[in-house]
Amino acid sequence: MSKAIHAPLREEEVASLRAGDSVLLSGTIYTGRDAAHKRLCALIEEGRPLPFNMKNQVIYYAGPCPAKPGDAIGSCGPTTSYRMDAYAPVLCDLGLIGMIGKGQRGEAVVDAIRRNGGVYFAATGGAGALIATSVTSARVIAFEDLGTEAVRELTVENLPLIVAIDAHGGNLYEEGPKKYCR
């Protein structure tokens, strides 16, 4: 059974999650891929304001396709997360509490998740059209010149995810295979 959670996430809600848990995420989240993350970190280095407050927010590593008429968004599948690993610890230290993507994370990101009480969710790769049905609204809020990689604010309803790395250091990418090894 999936646990319903709401973004922005509450710290106690994140603390209750464990690697392997299924969740249905509703609320406001943001998209951003590597080009957007590079620009976000440049803004931080320059002491300039970010396009949204990172505190307790969730970033989805996705570059959505353009929407068909009548749809909120086009296909919206996760991108490979390690491409954001150089930037994620900085954002986590600013209060980013959740990340959504696919694939394993580097040690520095896992440490940042644990240090900041965050969570990394895995979305199903190849299911972008299905994931898009959970998006009820989308709007570009920063870096419009990046096209599909611009930062978007999404409203999602019952977005299906798996907790891949929890706030306590539980890591599905390490623990999952151990269940099948002898």
Side-chain angles (χ1 to χ4, degrees):
M1 180 169 211
S2 296
K3 180 177 184 178
I5 60 174
H6 193 273
L9 298 174
R10 296 183 329 275
E11 292 170 13
E12 59 274 7
E13 185 173 50
V14 172
S16 74
L17 299 174
R18 296 293 182 268
D21 287 353
S22 295
V23 299
L24 294 172
L25 177 64
S26 296
T28 301
I29 64 173
Y30 298 89
T31 64
R33 287 179 47 155
D34 37 330
H37 275 69
K38 183 176 182 178
R39 287 193 186 177
L40 290 170
C41 286
L43 290 174
I44 293 165
E45 287 177 17
E46 296 166 5
R48 296 175 54 201
L50 295 174
F52 63 96
N53 182 345
M54 290 287 157
K55 183 71 176 162
N56 293 347
Q57 298 299 340
V58 176
I59 290 183
Y60 179 26
Y61 302 145
C65 295
K68 293 178 187 174
D71 290 346
I73 203 162
S75 183
C76 190
T79 197
T80 305
S81 299
Y82 77 81
R83 294 173 25 205
M84 275 55 72
D85 280 6
Y87 313 108
V90 172
L91 300 179
C92 290
D93 289 343
L94 284 178
L96 179 69
I97 201 166
M99 296 163 280
I100 304 168
K102 66 179 181 182
Q104 297 185 37
R105 305 308 301 268
E107 187 176 328
V109 177
V110 174
D111 290 344
I113 290 168
R114 189 179 314 115
R115 178 175 63 248
N116 293 291
V119 62
Y120 170 56
F121 299 104
T124 303
L130 179 61
I131 290 170
T133 64
S134 293
V135 179
T136 60
S137 71
R139 69 182 180 99
V140 173
I141 64 164
F143 316 134
E144 188 169 6
D145 62 302
L146 293 178
T148 61
E149 293 195 38
V151 174
R152 285 175 172 71
E153 180 182 83
L154 305 182
T155 303
V156 296
E157 188 173 320
N158 295 322
L159 176 62
L161 303 167
I162 302 293
V163 176
I165 302 171
D166 65 37
H168 312 284
N171 188 332
L172 188 60
Y173 294 105
E174 293 173 359
E175 297 165 13
K178 288 179 185 175
K179 292 180 181 180
Y180 302 98
C181 294
R182 295 181 197 240

